[in-house]
Structures are given as C-alpha cells and as structure tokens.
Amino acid sequence: MSTVADHILPAPAAVSAAPAPRAAAVSAPLRTASAPAFWWTGLAAAVAWAALGLITYLWPNKPVGFSDWAFTEEFAIGAGAVALVLAVLAFVPGSLGRAGLRVRKAGPWLVALALGFAVWEVFTAKLGTLPPPFFAPPQSLVEVYATDWARLLESAGASLRLLALGIAIGAAAGFVTGVLIGWSRQASYWVHPVLRILGPVPTTALLPVSFYFFPSSWSTAIFLIALGTAFPVAILTWSGVAGVHKNYYDVARTMGASPWFLVLRVAIPAALPQVFVGLFMGLGAAFSTLVVAEMLGVKAGLGWYLTWAQGWAAYPNMYAALIVMALLFSGVITLLFVLRDRVLSWQKGVVKW
C-alpha cells in the first residue's frame, strides 16, 4: 500500500505545479506590454516644435511697413514650451497619466502641425512671400485671441444660440414629417411631392423672400436654419420608417399592439439610425445657412464678425474667426456623435458605424 500511495500522491502536485511556468510566461509579456515604451514620434514632434520656436525667435521678421509683428517672442516661447512637454512625454513613459496617452496617439499630427506652422511662419513673417495684409503669420492670431477675445467669445455665443434653436426646430419638424409620410399613405401622397420640389432648393436662395415675411433678421435666420435641417431629417426618417420589415409589425400585432405602439415602439426605434444620418446631413446645411445669414442680415455671430473684419481689412481677425468657427462646428458634430452612441447603444451589434 505504501508503494501505491507513493506513486499516486505526487501526481496531483505535479499536475498543479505544471501550469505555473506557463502562467509566469504568459503574465510576463502582459506586464511588459502594458508599460509604455519610448515615444520616438514624440521626440520627433519635440524637435519640430523646438525648431519652430528657434526659427520664430532667431530669424528676424521682414519689415512690412510697420515696426514688427506683435507677439513674436511669445509665440516662440509657446512653441518651446510645447517642445518641452513633448520631450518629457517621450523620455518619461507614463507621465501625465491618461492625458499623456491621448497626446501620444496624436504624435504624427503634432509633427505635421509644427511643420505647417514653420512653413507658415517662414513664408509670411520671415520672407514675406505671402504679402500682408492678406496673409499674416501665426503670431498675429495670438494677438487677436489675446486682445479681441471678448468680441470673439460674444460672437461665438450668438452663433451657438442661433444654431441650437434653428437645429432644434428643424430636427423636430423634420422628424415628425418623416414619421408622418413614412407611416401614412395619405400624408405621403400630399407631403412627399412638396418635399421633392422645395427640399432641394438652397435655403440661402430664399433669404430675400424670408426677410419680407419675418419681422427680424434673427427670426429669418432661425427659419432658414430650421428649413435646411428639416429636409434631410424628414427624407431620411421617412426612408427609415418605410423600410421597417413587415414581420416586425405582424409580430407586434399578434401580441395586441395598438397603432400608436407600432409607431412609437417599432417604427421609430428601427428608423433611428437613418434619423441620425439625416441630422448629420442637416448640420452641413445649417452651418452654411448660419454663416450666410449672419453675413447678410444678423448683427451678431461669427459670420458677422467675418464681415466686420473683412471691411476693416483685419485679415488676422478673419482667420482667427475661421479657426473658432471650425472648432465650434466640429464640436457640435462631436456632440452629435456622442448622442448617437448613447441613443443607439442597444443597436451596436446590429448597426455598424
């Protein structure tokens, strides 16, 4: 018995001990993979931003009829500070936590941005190849943001208010219209031809007529933004509702669903991906309509600021407003992406985006 026990008992120990080296071998690469390696792209970005700072600071600006471009030294110091941060991120992996990891993902863009600023600086402030006042160096934008930030902020706020109200009204009207013509044949018979005729007409072409019917340029702008948003939302919502498979309705009817239940709980949820596509398309029309309306009639907003800067030949102010406008509109689209991901989280396995 002792000899049998001696042969039997070591077996579980041998079995339990066998996976240990494999576990250690598997866990070791995981530990090394989680630790960030040296960031070579960040080092290249740091060198590029340092070169931009040196070019801006050491290379004298070309005289253009006045003393010098303001904020040249400040722009050079800012470029050097960016280079220092990138160098720290390159040589000290894991610094700045999650923010540092996000910066590391944007490494190639940071290199391209520094090179673009350097080319811009050389051909404007240093060589004067691009003549002022139509073209200005990057430090002129710093001057605009430092001295005229209050007016820019007020203009951005006015544009946001106008845009939000117009998009909200247009999205709601387009959504209701799309559901109506997608569900009711009678509504489709009467409304769909009107959409096909009036929908493709650019909203900016209706600007002179709209000024006559509305009491103020602000209400005219809201109407035109809403109209430009409503058309794609209505068309895509109608397409989504009309494209719902009949089997969904049949299954719901066999369970005693009412017509309102079919609309609210079957047709609309199934059409939501198309609704968001219409919203994305409507945003482009809303942005262009907003700028044109502010340029021609509304006495506030970024479009008005562009017209004011162009009238005074303040081209740096115009470029600064264009950058703010691009960031503002990009932020609106990003917010819509976030809203879509939240609303359609239950369809991620079915709908690809």
Side-chain angles (χ1 to χ4, degrees), residues 249-276:
Y249 297 128
D250 294 338
V251 171
R253 287 191 184 99
T254 58
M255 301 179 67
S258 64
W260 279 108
F261 184 92
L262 294 177
V263 174
L264 298 177
R265 302 300 297 272
V266 179
I268 291 178
L272 279 179
Q274 295 285 75
V275 174
F276 277 99

Side-chain angles (χ1 to χ4, degrees), residues 2 16 29 31 54 63 75 81 114 124 132 183 243 245 255 259-260 263 319-322:
S2 61
S16 62
R31 286 195 300 267
L54 291 175
F75 181 73
T124 52
W183 182 260
H245 203 284
M255 301 179 67
W260 279 108
V263 174
Y319 296 140
L322 286 174

Side-chain angles (χ1 to χ4, degrees), residues 84-111:
L84 181 61
V85 172
L86 293 174
V88 171
L89 290 176
F91 286 98
V92 185
S95 56
L96 298 184
R98 293 182 179 179
L101 294 177
R102 292 180 181 177
V103 173
R104 289 169 71 96
K105 291 181 181 179
W109 276 106
L110 291 171
V111 177

